[in-house]
């Protein structure tokens, strides 16, 4: 018995606990405990419970779990944030992931509850999770101001965290103008202007998104303003640009829709101009990167898209006259692919 006890399947046991750990993080974030601890910590459990309006016994257990998960510190004075909680978990942290955490709790969690049905049926589960059949993924997000704000905050938090690595993965100085198609809040666009102050940067997104961007604009003055244009990239004319960016856009769609979009871009793209993709790029054998492979399940439960490998992206791009496809794995959440129109 002692021999089998020594060989605990710790990886499997950790995975079995994964959902409890995720939910503990989500609930502590939703209750803004990291925000209170940043401004008022160290605090005892009873003080956090009073600030938040929760039970003392439940709050103490949640805080202790967060300590054990490495999110908080506990001393005789009480609980306080780790440095990483201050940076990533507070809602105003420099690289706050608060928006994505709330999106994960409120939107992705109900969808993942239906993962079994998604796998059985091979299709998205919005109708089961939210009782509404979505004709279009983004109509589903933009039907209410609250859901739209939450989705945009989620996109913004990851875009802000990855923007520098995406913008610097390749030297883009040859491109005088850039259009970030589906560029949402403009987080990547602002980073591009920081790095290439002479670049003319346009963000193109659906009218519902463009109407809601002001909340997400940086408070400091940028070197040059980002231009925001509203439209539908499947139907409307695309703004002119030397470089078209598609960041976390292609993974939302099936190949047929991607062909429509890439052929539209190809039609307006002059030789020497390019496309830059930012996506989680899978390895060709699709076996090594659990974050990206789990993200592909995330696409299954809510879209008709999926994550793809470098060869799959190369194949899609080459069919539309884009060559010299270069793939850079950044080590950040998003990788970058650059190609040039021949
Ligand atoms: N590029 C951003 C990023 O990486 O954070 C946002 C990615 S989000 C997954 C996809 C974006 O594409 C959303 O902002 C959405 O509004 C936009 N989008 C979806 N369908 C669109 C369409 N038909 N025309 C223009 N934008 C669209």
């Amino acid at each position: 018995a002692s021999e089998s006890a020594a060989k605990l399947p710790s990886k499997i046991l950790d995975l079995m606990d994964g959902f409890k750990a995720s939910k503990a993080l989500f609930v502590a974030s939703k209750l803004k405990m990291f925000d209170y601890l940043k401004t008022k910590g160290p605090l005892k459990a009873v003080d956090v419970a009073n600030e938040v309006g929760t039970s003392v016994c439940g709050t103490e257990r949640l805080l202790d779990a967060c300590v054990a998960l490495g999110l908080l510190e506990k001393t005789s004075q009480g609980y306080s944030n780790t440095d990483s909680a201050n940076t990533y978990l507070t809602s105003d942290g420099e690289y706050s992931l608060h928006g994505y955490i709330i999106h994960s709790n409120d939107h992705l969690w109900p969808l993942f509850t239906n993962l079994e049905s998604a796998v059985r049926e091979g299709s998205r589960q919005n109708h089961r999770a939210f009782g509404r059949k979505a004709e279009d993924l983004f109509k589903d997000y933009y039907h209410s101001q609250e859901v739209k704000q939450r989705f945009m905050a989620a996109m913004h938090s990851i875009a802000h965290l990855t923007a520098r690595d995406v913008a610097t993965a390749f030297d883009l100085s040859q491109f005088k103008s850039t259009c970030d198609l589906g560029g949402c809040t403009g987080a990547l666009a602002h980073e591009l202007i920081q790095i290439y102050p002479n670049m003319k940067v346009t963000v193109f997104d659906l009218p519902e998104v463009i109407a809601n961007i002001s909340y997400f604009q940086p408070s400091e003055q940028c070197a040059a303003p980002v231009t925001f244009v509203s439209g539908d990239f499947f139907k409307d004319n695309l703004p002119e640009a030397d470089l078209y960016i598609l960041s976390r856009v292609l993974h939302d769609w099936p190949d047929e829709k991607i062909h429509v979009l890439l052929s539209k871009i190809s039609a307006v793209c002059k030789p020497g101009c390019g496309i830059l993709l930012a996506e989680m790029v899978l390895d060709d054998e699709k076996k090594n990167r659990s974050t990206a492979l789990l993200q592909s399940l995330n696409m299954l439960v809510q879209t008709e898209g999926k994550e793809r490998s470098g060869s799959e992206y190369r194949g899609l791009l080459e069919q539309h006259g884009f060559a010299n496809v270069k793939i850079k794995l950044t080590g950040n959440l998003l990788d970058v692919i650059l190609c040039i129109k021949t």
Side-chain angles (χ1 to χ4, degrees), residues 165-172 196 276 326-328 336-338:
D165 285 334
V166 170
T168 57
F170 295 102
D171 178 5
L172 304 176
Y196 306 101
L276 186 110
K326 292 190 194 121
I327 302 172
K328 180 106 176 232
V336 187
I337 300 179
L338 179 67

Side-chain angles (χ1 to χ4, degrees), residues 207-219:
E208 297 92 324
V209 168
I210 300 299
N212 199 48
I213 52 152
S214 58
Y215 176 84
F216 298 97
Q217 300 314 297
S219 45

Side-chain angles (χ1 to χ4, degrees), residues 138 142 151 155 159 182-184 204-206 209 231-234 247-249 251-253:
F138 292 96
Y142 304 149
F151 175 75
M155 293 305 106
C184 203
F204 182 90
D205 211 302
L206 294 166
V209 168
D232 180 330
F233 53 45
F234 290 120
S247 169
R248 293 192 286 169
V249 167
H251 79 163
D252 291 332
W253 304 105

Side-chain angles (χ1 to χ4, degrees), residues 179-222:
C179 179
D180 189 358
L181 295 169
C184 203
T185 64
L188 175 58
H190 285 292
E191 190 68 39
L192 282 166
I193 289 184
Q194 296 287 320
I195 295 163
Y196 306 101
N198 297 322
M199 192 182 258
K200 183 176 167 295
V201 183
T202 304
V203 168
F204 182 90
D205 211 302
L206 294 166
E208 297 92 324
V209 168
I210 300 299
N212 199 48
I213 52 152
S214 58
Y215 176 84
F216 298 97
Q217 300 314 297
S219 45
E220 5 27 288
Q221 199 58 41
C222 284

Side-chain angles (χ1 to χ4, degrees), residues 222-293:
C222 284
V226 170
T227 306
F228 286 89
V229 175
S230 65
D232 180 330
F233 53 45
F234 290 120
K235 297 184 187 146
D236 297 326
N237 290 335
L238 304 181
E240 273 186 27
D242 297 340
L243 180 69
Y244 289 93
I245 296 179
L246 294 164
S247 169
R248 293 192 286 169
V249 167
L250 295 193
H251 79 163
D252 291 332
W253 304 105
D255 286 7
E256 311 83 79
K257 287 270 199 171
I258 290 181
H259 285 307
V260 173
L261 182 53
L262 290 182
S263 69
K264 281 195 71 184
I265 299 174
S266 183
V268 290
C269 215
K270 300 181 189 78
C273 294
I275 294 182
L276 186 110
L277 304 182
E279 295 282 0
M280 288 184 181
V281 175
L282 299 175
D283 56 298
D284 283 344
E285 289 181 302
K286 300 190 183 167
K287 63 177 193 181
N288 284 327
R289 207 177 156 199
S290 64
T291 317
L293 292 161

